[in-house]
């Protein structure tokens, strides 16, 4: 809570409670009079419990009407025309919306028929907006009941080699969900391309037949992004998985979308390099999925998310057009479309090739484990570390429930009587690490840590992190 307050300027004046046991408590508000119902249609957000508002705010009129921007999911600014389409109807709509307000949300309890997982360009966004409603962005019901499985199989079999197309129920079963296993659905067919030309051919065929397509990497996502559409094609990029080039001098690697996150670091290791974003799922998750989710890991505080570690992405749009965003130089002129596609959850293009930046491995990394007898004190210590101007290589907190759950699993040696522990990593030259750890230790002592341990070797450092990284499987 203390950390949230520090970073997000939380206004708790309208919260229902005055003391908070959880973040949920501080986001719970009394329903305002007359708020419900706004609209009886299931596609429209009608109360805070029906979904999550991801972002909201003003549509800023930056230069002139049609260049107005709004801030969308994951904090990226989008131009209205990028969303609505830079054509006459798009510009007319943009003029109407400039200076207004916007919100975007993710619905809860979606019905399968509502899950329209179709990649969208400007037109689909425009179509999904209902200008006569209070809620700006609605959701369009789509009817794919006319999709003919036999025709889809026939069309895709023409463009794929044998073994790259699956449509029998037992073959489809492994693809029925991603990491969000509460939602399951069998796709009509699964296509497993190994080249960009095959991806283009699949998307062109699906576009012509009006078939929805869902891209899938390793299926570790926790947001249901790779949940199949029952009337659609699941496009698995898992076999499209070669490292095409690794340039230790330029510190870059060019990889296909199905390459595992950790495999990039393994390939770069002999050159003293690694790929910095390290989601806890890195042993399995794919770089295509990382781009689509803008994934990060414990080290993203210092080294950034996926978006900060990319140079160039090639992809294919829903109608089969190949696009290339960014380039091999450190900065590209023009709009930052690389940032637009990163985190777009497979909705703008199927990623077919990624150029990532590689980072030199630090000479030394050490991890401080600090125990606290109070969760709030541990949170305050995080704020104090940042306030002291320290940007640790990694900084994570685990409460007592989490340490108890993982200790059985990984035997990390966590102090189980602590109400919370902090893991704070320092990296660099031995001198830099020693200096930073001394500063971190001073802040932690001042913040009321009851115990402080510093990893003595690489094995102990890995053990400290093992519990944090294994929290999901342990639970
Ligand atoms: C144990 C565990 C720990 C995790 N830890 C973290 C963590 O620390 N940090 C974090 O950020 N996430 C974490 N995740 C979530 C998940 O691993 C990441 O979001 C990861 O980037 C998903 O990659 P994937 O290859 O599994 O993608 P999938 O789950 O297959 O797909 C995810 C999304 O990407 C789209 N997609 C996949 N491939 C492509 C492509 N080639 N082109 C276009 N779109 C594509 C899909 O349509 C879907 O919307 C964790 C998950 C688990 C199970």
């Amino acid at each position: 809570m203390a950390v949230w307050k520090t970073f997000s300027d939380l206004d708790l004046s309208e919260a229902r409670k005055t003391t908070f046991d959880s973040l949920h408590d501080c986001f719970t508000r009394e329903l305002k009079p007359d708020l419900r119902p706004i609209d009886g249609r299931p596609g429209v957000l009608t109360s805070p419990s029906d979904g999550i508002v991801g972002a909201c705010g003003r549509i800023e009129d930056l230069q002139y009407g049609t260049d107005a921007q709004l801030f969308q999911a994951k904090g990226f600014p989008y131009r209205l025309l990028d969303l609505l389409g830079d054509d006459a109807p798009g510009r007319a709509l943009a003029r109407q919306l400039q200076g207004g307000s916007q919100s975007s949300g993710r619905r809860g309890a979606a019905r399968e028929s509502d899950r329209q997982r179709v990649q969208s360009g400007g037109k689909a966004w425009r179509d999904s907006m209902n200008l006569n409603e209070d809620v700006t962005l609605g959701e369009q019901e789509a009817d794919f009941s006319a999709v003919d499985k036999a025709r889809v199989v026939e069309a895709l079999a023409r463009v794929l080699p044998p073994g790259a197309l699956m449509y029998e129920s037992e073959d489809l079963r492994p693809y029925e969900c991603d990491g969000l296993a509460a939602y399951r659905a069998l796709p009509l067919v699964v296509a497993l391309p190994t080249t960009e030309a095959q991806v283009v051919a699949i998307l062109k065929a699906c576009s012509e037949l009006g078939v929805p397509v869902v891209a899938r990497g390793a299926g570790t996502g926790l947001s249901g992004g790779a949940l199949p559409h029952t009337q659609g094609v699941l496009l698995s990029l898992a076999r499209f998985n070669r490292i095409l080039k690794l340039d230790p001098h330029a510190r870059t690697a060019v990889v296909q979308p199905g390459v595992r996150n950790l495999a990039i670091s393994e390939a770069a290791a002999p050159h003293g390099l690694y790929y910095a974003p390290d989601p806890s799922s890195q042993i399995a998750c794919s770089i295509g999925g990382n781009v689509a989710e803008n994934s990060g890991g414990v080290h993203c505080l210092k080294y950034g998310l996926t978006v900060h570690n990319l140079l160039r992405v090639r992809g294919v749009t829903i109608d089969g057009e190949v696009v290339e965003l960014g380039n091999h130089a450190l900065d590209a002129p023009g709009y930052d479309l690389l940032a637009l596609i990163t985190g777009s959850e497979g909705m703008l293009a199927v990623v077919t090739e990624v150029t990532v930046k590689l980072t030199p491995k630090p000479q030394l990394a050490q991890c401080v484990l600090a125990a606290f007898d109070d969760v709030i004190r541990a949170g305050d210590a995080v704020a104090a570390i940042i306030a002291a101007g320290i940007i640790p290589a990694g900084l994570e907190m685990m409460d007592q429930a989490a340490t108890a759950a993982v200790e059985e699993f990984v035997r990390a040696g966590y102090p189980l009587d602590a109400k919370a522990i902090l893991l704070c990593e320092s990296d660099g030259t031995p001198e830099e690490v020693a200096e930073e750890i001394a500063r971190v230790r001073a802040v932690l002592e001042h913040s009321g840590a009851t115990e402080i341990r510093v990893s003595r070797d690489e094995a102990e450092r890995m053990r400290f992190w093992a519990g944090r990284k294994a929290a999901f499987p342990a639970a």
Side-chain angles (χ1 to χ4, degrees), residues 23-97:
L23 277 177
H24 182 256
D25 276 355
C26 48
F27 289 117
T28 304
R29 306 279 189 270
E30 290 296 348
L31 213 54
K32 293 197 169 123
D34 302 328
L35 187 63
R36 180 192 280 269
I38 296 172
D39 192 307
R41 293 178 311 158
V44 175
L45 195 69
T46 53
S47 93
S49 60
D50 291 339
I52 301 167
V53 173
C56 58
R58 302 289 298 167
I59 298 172
E60 308 243 343
D61 186 3
L62 285 190
Q63 293 172 21
Y64 48 89
T66 49
D67 216 19
Q69 289 200 6
L70 51 81
F71 279 84
Q72 262 299 323
K74 305 203 178 188
F76 289 118
Y78 290 18
R79 282 173 73 236
L80 270 188
L81 290 185
D82 291 334
L83 298 174
L84 302 174
D86 193 355
D87 52 14
R91 281 193 289 274
L93 200 45
R95 267 193 296 277
Q96 245 176 297
L97 296 174

Side-chain angles (χ1 to χ4, degrees), residues 117 119 178-179 213-227 235 237 240 257-259 278-282 284-298 305-306 341 344-353 396 468-473:
R117 302 287 305 156
Q119 295 180 354
D178 59 9
V213 177
V214 176
R216 177 185 168 108
T220 66
L222 298 172
S223 53
L227 180 72
L235 184 59
L237 286 311
F240 194 0
V259 170
D278 57 344
S280 299
S281 53
Q282 69 180 150
C285 66
S286 71
I287 189 71
N290 291 176
V291 172
E293 297 283 355
N294 191 16
S295 293
V298 294
L305 297 158
T306 302
I341 197 169
S344 63
E345 301 190 348
M347 302 297 278
L348 298 180
V350 174
V351 174
T352 51
E353 195 178 290
E396 297 267 334
R468 163 62 188 88
K469 295 237 172 198
F472 186 84

Side-chain angles (χ1 to χ4, degrees), residues 216-299:
R216 177 185 168 108
T220 66
L222 298 172
S223 53
L227 180 72
H229 192 294
T230 50
Q231 291 299 104
V233 170
L234 188 82
L235 184 59
S236 167
L237 286 311
R239 290 187 190 167
F240 194 0
N241 62 356
R242 285 191 305 123
I243 295 178
L244 299 175
K245 187 176 167 194
L246 200 149
D247 184 341
H249 300 296
R251 292 183 187 158
T252 59
V254 182
V255 301
Q256 292 179 337
V259 170
R260 290 177 307 111
N261 172 299
L262 191 59
I264 304 176
S265 291
E266 286 167 353
H271 307 285
L273 300 169
Y274 73 112
Y275 176 60
D278 57 344
S280 299
S281 53
Q282 69 180 150
I283 191 169
C285 66
S286 71
I287 189 71
N290 291 176
V291 172
E293 297 283 355
N294 191 16
S295 293
V298 294
H299 292 99

Side-chain angles (χ1 to χ4, degrees), residues 173-187:
R173 191 64 63 190
Y175 298 92
E176 67 180 353
C177 66
D178 59 9
L180 185 66
Y183 294 94
R184 291 166 191 265
L186 285 187

Side-chain angles (χ1 to χ4, degrees), residues 120-200:
S120 55
K123 183 167 181 317
W125 265 82
R126 187 164 71 221
D127 291 347
S128 77
M129 299 181 75
N130 187 338
L131 285 178
N132 300 321
E133 304 296 336
D134 291 346
V135 176
T136 324
L137 299 183
E139 193 173 330
Q140 191 190 33
E141 295 273 342
D143 180 9
F144 294 106
S145 56
V147 170
D148 179 349
K149 180 170 177 173
R151 284 190 68 199
V152 177
V153 171
E154 189 193 325
L156 296 188
R158 253 185 265 131
V159 297
L160 287 171
L165 192 61
M166 297 194 287
Y167 43 85
E168 302 295 351
S169 152
E170 64 270 24
D171 293 331
L172 304 178
R173 191 64 63 190
Y175 298 92
E176 67 180 353
C177 66
D178 59 9
L180 185 66
Y183 294 94
R184 291 166 191 265
L186 285 187
L188 215 53
V189 301
V190 173
L192 293 136
T194 50
T195 66
E196 186 179 84
Q198 289 171 3
V199 174
V200 169

Side-chain angles (χ1 to χ4, degrees), residues 315-357:
V316 185
T317 64
I318 190 65
D319 44 11
E321 186 191 344
V322 175
V323 290
E324 201 168 305
L325 311 173
N327 62 34
H328 285 118
L330 276 180
D331 208 356
Y335 293 118
D336 188 3
L337 298 178
L338 192 57
L340 180 69
I341 197 169
T342 311
S344 63
E345 301 190 348
M347 302 297 278
L348 298 180
V350 174
V351 174
T352 51
E353 195 178 290
V354 186
T355 305
V356 297
K357 297 179 199 168

